Amino acid sequence: ISCSLLVMQCSASIDILFLLDGSYSIGKGSFERSKHFAGKLCDALDISPDRVRVGMLQFSSTPHLEFPLDSYLTKQEVKERIKKTVFRGGSTDTGLALKYILRKGFPGGRNSTVPEILIILSDGKSHGNTEIPATQVKKRGTTVFAVGIKFPRWEELHALASKPTEQHVLFAGDAADAANGFYSTLTASTVCNAPSPGCKIESHPCERKTLETVKELAGNYVCWKGSKQQKAVHASLCPFYRWKRVLIKHPSRCFRTVCPDPCDSQPCQNGGTCVPEGLDKYHCLCPVGYGGDFHCAPKLSLECSVDLLFLMDSSAGIMLEGFLRFKAFLKRFLQAVMGWDSPMNVGVALYDTDVRIPIEVGQHKDMVGLMRSIEALNFSGGETLTGRALRYVAQHGFRSTPVFADVQDDLPRVVVLLTDSKSQDPVAEAAKYARDQGLFLISIGSSFLRAELVEVTGNPKQTIIYSNPQDLFNKIPELQKSICSIDNPEGCQAQSLDLVFAVDASAGVGLENFLQLRDFVRSSSFHFSINRDVTQIGLVVYGSKAHTAFALDTHTSNSALLRAIDQLPFLGGSTSPGSALLHIYGDVMTVQKGARPGVHKAVVMLTKGGGMEDAASPARQLRNNGILVFVVVIGDAQRDMLLRVAGSPNYLVHISSYEDLQHYEDLIIERICEEAKSPVNLCKPNPCMNQGVCILGPGSYRCECHGWEGPHCESS
């Protein structure tokens, strides 16, 4: 029908007169709806001086000519004049209006060779006789359409309209439908041109509504009646009636023109919504993850080679609805990212009280078989034992490649946890066990599970949170990116960097928390390739004084560095971050202690936030010499003071507890590595010793020495 409205255009020599009921029984609101409907009908008419002409008469107690047929010669002019028509009010005398037309004809109309069409818009509640004048109008050869407004008397409208009445009686309540019916009748009667090729006129059942007042017996009440005896009355029961308005539906038949819709063939794939644009054009609204072409082909792809296992919650905690949602998400995701030549092996494990793997990793090599197997997955219910499930898939989720295979399957192993229910067993140890087995964990769930999901992955960046059921499907691109981030490990693996950790080892931190700081440094070092050419790491512990645990050039391998970190001493005493930064500036980040000219330099200070007043000045000195100062504060501290030390909010991370420190590791490393990609000033920090002046050249530098010799003024 929407397509039909685009092609409806009655083009022929016709005179059309609107007869609008402007009586009080209609009311101003329904009169405005009548005007709207008249304008809608004009959209289907080719209004011009030699084609369709339109005039309007308003009637109530008396008829009033609003404008004759020869007044306005364009569609826009006619529609604008209809909008300006004013409601007059009065009683409803349809018969008098019809007599006016019998006496004066169509004002401004043409000769009798031009077909005349009268469109009466009324509620049919006329005070006088309408049947005789209506019959006389139709005998003149005028085609009469009766259009019901509000809750009309359909019998009177049927008496007004031409035969067959089902094609000439319309309802203005649905203006688009009625305009279609009007156009269908005109084209079927050959008054107008035939509908466009491919369009056809069809009959369909429809309803007409009437609001009628009916008498209803409400019950009986005691009343008193006289008798034949003098002065005698008797109690009796009298009926009690009330009147109520009832909406009555009248079954009818309507006619409409239907044209082929460009969306009928459902051209949009993968759940896309087709939106027609005219008769033969359309566009597709594609769901997230699709839109690779006009018809919603997948636009994402997993360009990384991984073994991928989805671990899907099937416990009573998520209920059947949640399970079906995850199943739909899984299908949508795989359809969005997997091509026929995808290098990915996929499996699915379900868990509640027990764990089962109905789809082994790599079992299906074609999308059709994989989708069929996913569709066959069944909800089971039971306890939510996420910890047990993680341990199980770490042991049994990935089949080992036989030793005699021609090609060893050494692909990264990724587990995507889909859950929306809090685990009933501990997850931290099981998740750590799974990660220690080399599994890359990603978790997806609602916001109320955030803490537990981060505990599973060990990394907020591998935790995907959705806000509502529909938002889950918006996370498809984020999941694709997370899976493929395993092929691009974060860190500065190929970036030259001189990095110094400054670790608070004061009594205020305490031994237990100090060990967590040490574990953070240990874990962070995995992001770097330790050798003379790439990354050098030095470490300073501090209390009231600073102590170099090892210099930048002390360790040349990751294993040696890890052993040294494990030997870090706890100092106790008060804390002085300022003295630690001064120590790093004068005795660690120097050429003599292994700092390399032309290499980015950064200091990561781990502190509980006390004693920061004396740290701002040495931090400024470090920054002035091209050394990034990154401040990580655990616990309560004054933000303004911390910002003066860090120099920028980008280099300040405030963490509420030592337990949460591990979750910020990737964020801190990422920011350091971003900084390490920027151009470096070869003369910052000054590579020249003994007050030598560094002078930059094209791609190099030289030291201007005073009383000293050597490339760095190191010899007397």
Side-chain angles (χ1 to χ4, degrees):
I1 291 176
S2 60
C3 279
S4 307
L5 294 174
L6 297 171
V7 300
M8 285 193 320
Q9 194 66 226
C10 179
S11 185
S13 292
I14 319 170
D15 285 348
I16 295 180
L17 181 65
F18 286 107
L19 190 59
L20 258 67
D21 187 342
S23 65
Y24 289 131
S25 68
I26 283 288
K28 192 170 182 181
S30 293
F31 182 76
E32 291 300 316
R33 280 190 284 275
S34 298
K35 287 161 54 180
H36 170 74
F37 176 72
K40 197 78 176 173
L41 288 191
C42 288
D43 287 333
L45 302 173
D46 182 13
I47 298 174
S48 66
D50 59 340
R51 309 300 289 170
V52 180
R53 291 189 184 183
V54 174
M56 179 176 282
L57 195 75
Q58 182 181 169
F59 72 94
S60 50
S61 305
T62 58
H64 173 80
L65 180 65
E66 294 291 346
F67 59 92
L69 283 87
D70 54 0
S71 294
Y72 302 103
L73 306 177
T74 69
K75 183 181 301 187
Q76 194 58 37
E77 288 176 347
V78 171
K79 290 181 69 173
E80 285 298 321
R81 179 59 182 82
I82 291 173
K83 281 183 183 177
K84 293 176 183 176
T85 303
V86 178
F87 175 68
R88 295 181 176 275
S91 59
T92 313
D93 200 334
T94 313
L96 190 61
L98 292 170
K99 289 173 184 175
Y100 176 96
I101 293 168
L102 285 169
R103 188 171 68 253
K104 295 194 175 184
F106 276 30
R110 287 165 281 190
N111 57 42
S112 58
T113 60
V114 177
E116 291 182 338
I117 295 175
L118 178 66
I119 303 174
I120 305 171
L121 291 99
S122 172
D123 61 1
K125 299 171 184 176
S126 179
H127 294 167
N129 182 282
T130 61
E131 193 169 341
I132 294 172
T135 303
Q136 290 174 332
V137 167
K138 286 180 279 189
K139 279 183 177 178
R140 280 183 43 180
T142 302
T143 302
V144 180
F145 284 87
V147 182
I149 299 294
K150 211 172 181 179
F151 296 105
R153 289 179 183 159
W154 293 106
E155 299 83 356
E156 186 169 322
L157 293 179
H158 278 77
L160 290 173
S162 297
K163 304 290 184 183
T165 53
E166 64 267 19
Q167 294 183 29
H168 292 86
V169 175
L170 307 171
F171 179 50
D174 189 335
D177 227 21
N180 189 309
F182 171 71
Y183 170 80
S184 302
T185 300
L186 293 184
T187 53
S189 63
T190 68
V191 172
C192 295
N193 50 312
S196 299
C199 301
K200 64 179 186 297
I201 298 170
E202 64 177 28
S203 168
H204 67 101
C206 56
E207 282 185 342
R208 306 297 189 215
K209 296 177 182 178
T210 306
L211 195 63
E212 298 183 12
T213 304
V214 297
K215 185 178 179 182
E216 182 182 69
L217 178 65
N220 296 301
Y221 66 99
V222 176
C223 60
W224 302 92
K225 293 185 176 181
S227 70
K228 293 179 180 179
Q229 297 176 9
Q230 193 175 5
K231 296 181 181 180
V233 292
H234 296 280
S236 181
L237 289 177
C238 298
F240 171 64
Y241 295 96
R242 64 182 173 196
W243 300 89
K244 62 183 290 188
R245 294 170 75 92
V246 179
L247 190 68
I248 298 175
K249 296 177 181 179
H250 303 271
S252 183
R253 293 209 69 79
C254 299
F255 288 81
R256 63 187 175 197
T257 298
V258 179
C259 298
D261 191 304
C263 290
D264 286 346
S265 60
Q266 298 181 331
C268 303
Q269 304 165 5
N270 299 308
T273 302
C274 182
V275 180
E277 296 176 350
L279 284 176
D280 54 358
K281 294 181 180 178
Y282 63 90
H283 70 271
C284 294
L285 296 177
C286 303
V288 174
Y290 300 89
D293 68 5
F294 188 74
H295 295 112
C296 301
K299 69 177 179 182
L300 299 169
S301 65
L302 282 177
E303 296 171 352
C304 52
S305 299
V306 296
D307 283 342
L308 179 60
L309 179 66
F310 287 91
L311 180 58
M312 199 158 80
D313 189 347
S314 181
S315 68
I318 69 163
M319 299 186 290
L320 176 60
E321 181 186 358
F323 178 79
L324 294 176
R325 187 184 308 127
F326 280 141
K327 199 160 87 166
F329 170 79
L330 181 55
K331 290 169 65 177
R332 177 90 57 91
F333 173 78
L334 293 173
Q335 288 171 337
V337 303
M338 282 186 70
W340 295 106
D341 55 349
S342 174
M344 180 177 54
N345 295 319
V346 179
V348 181
L350 302 178
Y351 78 93
D352 46 20
T353 310
D354 298 312
V355 189
R356 53 208 174 280
I357 306 179
I359 305 174
E360 297 277 356
V361 173
Q363 177 181 331
H364 291 286
K365 296 302 181 187
D366 65 283
M367 179 65 79
V368 175
L370 179 59
M371 290 296 110
R372 193 178 294 124
S373 293
I374 292 172
E375 188 56 45
L377 298 176
N378 291 318
F379 176 68
S380 53
E383 294 180 280
T384 312
L385 301 183
T386 309
R388 178 178 179 179
L390 288 166
R391 193 175 292 273
Y392 182 90
V393 296
Q395 295 169 347
H396 309 289
F398 299 87
R399 293 178 297 184
S400 300
T401 305
V403 293
F404 50 81
D406 294 334
V407 179
Q408 287 290 108
D409 180 7
D410 197 23
L411 295 178
R413 294 175 169 182
V414 180
V415 174
V416 178
L417 172 66
L418 293 162
T419 182
D420 209 9
S421 177
K422 194 168 180 59
S423 180
Q424 293 169 262
D425 67 340
V427 299
E429 285 299 319
K432 185 177 185 303
Y433 171 78
R435 295 196 300 269
D436 289 345
Q437 304 308 304
L439 300 188
F440 184 75
L441 301 182
I442 299 170
S443 56
I444 302 177
S446 298
S447 54
F448 80 95
L449 278 179
R450 185 188 298 271
E452 183 175 296
L453 297 178
V454 171
E455 202 173 16
V456 168
T457 61
N459 185 347
K461 298 184 76 173
Q462 289 161 224
T463 304
I464 298 172
I465 303 297
Y466 60 90
S467 55
N468 56 61
Q470 186 53 47
D471 186 44
L472 170 63
F473 294 91
N474 297 332
K475 300 299 180 182
I476 287 175
E478 189 176 340
L479 176 57
Q480 180 256 359
K481 183 180 178 183
S482 295
I483 291 170
C484 281
S485 70
I486 194 170
D487 270 3
N488 302 290
E490 294 167 352
C492 308
Q493 297 288 359
Q495 206 72 37
S496 295
L497 181 67
D498 284 345
L499 177 63
V500 174
F501 285 96
V503 181
D504 192 341
S506 66
V509 171
L511 177 60
E512 185 178 345
N513 292 332
F514 171 76
L515 294 177
Q516 293 200 56
L517 294 179
R518 189 186 72 182
D519 287 344
F520 173 80
V521 175
R522 193 178 197 282
S523 177
S524 298
S525 67
F526 285 111
H527 293 265
F528 304 97
S529 179
I530 307 300
N531 62 60
R532 290 264 195 270
D533 299 319
V534 186
T535 300
Q536 293 187 150
I537 290 182
L539 203 148
V540 171
V541 289
Y542 67 92
S544 56
K545 294 182 179 179
H547 165 70
T548 302
F550 50 83
L552 284 165
D553 60 354
T554 303
H555 302 294
T556 57
S557 69
N558 286 74
S559 57
L561 182 74
L562 293 174
R563 285 194 297 272
I565 292 172
D566 289 340
Q567 302 302 315
L568 281 186
F570 176 68
L571 303 178
S574 59
T575 182
S576 178
S579 65
L581 293 177
L582 277 173
H583 176 75
I584 291 169
Y585 176 77
D587 202 46
V588 179
M589 282 289 192
T590 65
V591 173
Q592 298 97 314
K593 296 298 173 71
R596 296 165 295 174
V599 171
H600 278 285
K601 293 170 175 57
V603 175
V604 177
M605 168 164 277
L606 300 166
T607 176
K608 74 177 190 66
M612 297 296 286
E613 298 80 9
D614 62 347
S617 179
R620 196 180 310 113
Q621 282 181 280
L622 286 164
R623 284 196 298 276
N624 290 341
N625 277 275
I627 301 169
L628 171 69
V629 178
F630 206 107
V631 181
V632 181
V633 181
I634 302 97
D636 297 327
Q638 191 177 356
R639 183 171 174 81
D640 291 346
M641 179 59 66
L642 297 174
L643 275 174
R644 286 203 292 274
V645 177
S648 164
N650 292 333
Y651 307 131
L652 173 63
V653 174
H654 203 153
I655 303 171
S656 58
S657 69
Y658 288 88
E659 289 74 20
D660 290 340
L661 182 61
Q662 58 176 323
H663 304 322
Y664 290 84
E665 178 184 311
D666 285 319
L667 172 67
I668 295 165
I669 299 301
E670 181 182 329
R671 288 188 183 169
I672 292 170
C673 295
E674 279 300 314
E675 189 71 21
K677 293 174 184 175
S678 61
V680 69
N681 186 332
L682 295 176
C683 285
K684 285 190 175 183
N686 186 3
C688 307
M689 306 178 195
N690 300 308
Q691 285 77 50
V693 179
C694 179
I695 299 173
L696 281 172
S700 65
Y701 69 92
R702 66 181 179 84
C703 288
E704 192 175 90
C705 306
H706 302 284
W708 297 82
E709 296 179 354
H712 295 102
C713 309
E714 69 274 16
S715 304
S716 58

